[in-house]
Amino acid sequence: MTFSAVITFLFGLIIITVGAEILLKGASKIATLLNIRPIVIGLTVVSIGTSLPELAVGLTAIGEGAGDIAIGNIAGTNLVNILFILGLSAAIRPLPLNLRSIKTEMYTMIIAAVLLLMLSLDGELSTWDGLIMLILGIVYLTIIVRTSRQEPFYVQKEFQEEYETPPLYEKKDKKVWAWNFMLLFCGIVATIYGAEKLVDGAVEMAKHFGMSDAVIGLTIIAIGTSAPELATTIVATFKGERDVAVGNLLGSSVINIFIILGITSIFTPGSIGVSADILWFDLPLAALVALVCYPVFKSDGMVSRKEGITFVSLYCAYLIFLLMYRV
């Protein structure tokens, strides 16, 4: 039974990762065909696309009565994004912070993490809580789109190279449109199907090993659903397109709370219960990590290699703590 659960989980993880990548390619290409500016694609479309596995997992977990997986996945994914992925990128090569919108994303990330903690203090996330988060998410995306116009030329060029505007003949080619809409549809189907298998396997493993749904969501599911962000960031690090990577990571961390958890809360009958462990440890930790980003980002306009190594080390210590004391 355990082996079968592991196979189901790994199969779901592969499908959801591949599905998210296909979905993201289709969505990004359609956005370029619609003449959406490359920097807007990078800061909004891509951030939302890489967060869709979390949405699929959250809705699936709620449907199976595993609300702690939905909450744990969001808190865990944001810790992976900032401490592990951003830290790993800086550890490989010091991470300059050139994007003007980083200031907006950083402040919003702090607000989102603190607000999530405050909304959870009554032990649940209601439909109204979800509506508040979703509205704030829409406001955030609107501000980011407006702020992106003020980015310097070299930053705009970096996004232009990553999301190249297609030639005119492609915009008029119905086959190109049809192909990318097919990619988008197939990506959505694969992501939903993969999420179902991933959650089924995770719940079964949790029962066998005596692990809580929260710990499963905070660890293997969070790491698994962060695969798109990890891949995007590592590739961007070695290609020297660091602004694309940072914008994606911070944007995803905000969207995970405001958009993803907001939608999940809205579509949950009643409310999502928040366990005491998540409420009093993981959510405060996620808020603390967001707050720590302020002095790190403001210090000298970059995340140094030393700071990156510290971030990764803290995440490893967090994982060890979860596996030793929370299982």
Side-chain angles (χ1 to χ4, degrees):
M1 180 63 71
T2 306
F3 180 73
S4 174
V6 172
I7 293 299
T8 301
F9 174 84
L10 292 176
F11 175 72
L13 179 59
I14 292 171
I15 296 299
I16 199 173
T17 303
V18 172
E21 182 64 23
I22 293 173
L23 186 157
L24 192 54
K25 284 186 177 180
S28 299
K29 187 65 175 182
I30 290 170
T32 61
L33 291 170
L34 291 170
N35 293 322
I36 296 175
R37 289 181 297 121
I39 193 167
V40 173
I41 295 173
L43 294 175
T44 58
V45 176
V46 174
S47 292
I48 294 172
T50 54
S51 292
L52 286 180
E54 283 82 4
L55 176 61
V57 166
L59 293 175
T60 303
I62 292 300
E64 298 188 9
D68 271 354
I69 286 182
I71 301 288
N73 184 32
I74 295 300
T77 297
N78 281 6
L79 290 171
V80 173
N81 282 350
I82 303 304
L83 289 182
F84 183 71
I85 302 178
L86 187 141
L88 182 61
S89 179
I92 295 172
R93 190 181 300 168
L95 188 59
L97 306 173
N98 298 319
L99 273 170
R100 290 184 181 179
S101 58
I102 280 180
K103 183 182 294 185
T104 301
E105 291 181 316
M106 178 184 64
Y107 288 137
T108 310
M109 181 176 67
I110 293 171
I111 292 169
V114 173
L115 178 65
L116 176 57
L117 176 59
M118 293 174 63
L119 292 176
S120 303
L121 288 176
D122 58 357
E124 62 181 25
L125 288 175
S126 66
T127 300
W128 287 108
D129 293 333
L131 189 59
I132 290 170
M133 289 188 285
L134 183 58
I135 291 172
L136 289 174
I138 295 171
V139 172
Y140 160 74
L141 290 174
T142 303
I143 293 172
I144 285 296
V145 170
R146 291 184 176 181
T147 305
S148 66
R149 298 179 183 277
Q150 302 169 8
E151 296 291 352
F153 173 75
Y154 64 90
V155 172
Q156 300 268 3
K157 185 178 179 182
E158 188 175 319
F159 281 88
Q160 179 72 42
E161 292 171 354
E162 182 68 14
Y163 309 106
E164 185 177 359
T165 302
L168 185 61
Y169 73 87
E170 278 195 10
K171 296 179 182 180
K172 295 182 178 181
D173 192 336
K174 293 181 179 179
K175 291 182 180 179
V176 173
W177 284 88
W179 169 253
N180 286 288
F181 271 109
M182 187 184 73
L183 285 180
L184 182 63
F185 176 76
C186 291
I188 291 172
V189 171
T191 301
I192 293 171
Y193 178 73
E196 183 180 342
K197 293 301 178 184
L198 183 144
V199 171
D200 285 346
V203 170
E204 191 62 37
M205 286 192 294
K207 290 178 180 177
H208 180 82
F209 292 110
M211 299 173 69
S212 68
D213 289 342
V215 172
I216 286 289
L218 287 161
T219 54
I220 57 176
I221 293 182
I223 294 170
T225 55
S226 294
E229 286 93 340
L230 177 60
T232 300
T233 303
I234 295 302
V235 170
T237 296
F238 285 107
K239 288 172 65 177
E241 296 170 344
R242 319 299 296 286
D243 298 303
V244 175
V246 176
N248 176 240
L249 282 177
L250 298 186
S252 292
S253 297
V254 174
I255 288 167
N256 281 342
I257 295 175
F258 281 161
I259 305 291
I260 304 304
L261 196 52
I263 292 175
T264 304
S265 301
I266 289 171
F267 283 95
T268 300
S271 61
I272 304 175
V274 182
S275 67
D277 282 347
I278 290 181
L279 175 58
W280 298 113
F281 185 79
D282 303 296
L283 292 184
L285 178 62
L288 179 61
V289 168
L291 287 166
V292 166
C293 285
Y294 178 79
V296 171
F297 285 15
K298 294 286 285 186
S299 57
D300 51 6
M302 71 165 54
V303 183
S304 68
R305 181 174 280 115
K306 182 178 180 181
E307 289 166 336
I309 293 172
T310 301
F311 274 21
V312 173
S313 300
L314 287 173
Y315 183 73
C316 291
Y318 170 69
L319 275 186
I320 292 171
F321 171 81
L322 286 180
L323 297 176
M324 289 184 64
Y325 298 104
R326 297 271 294 278
V327 174

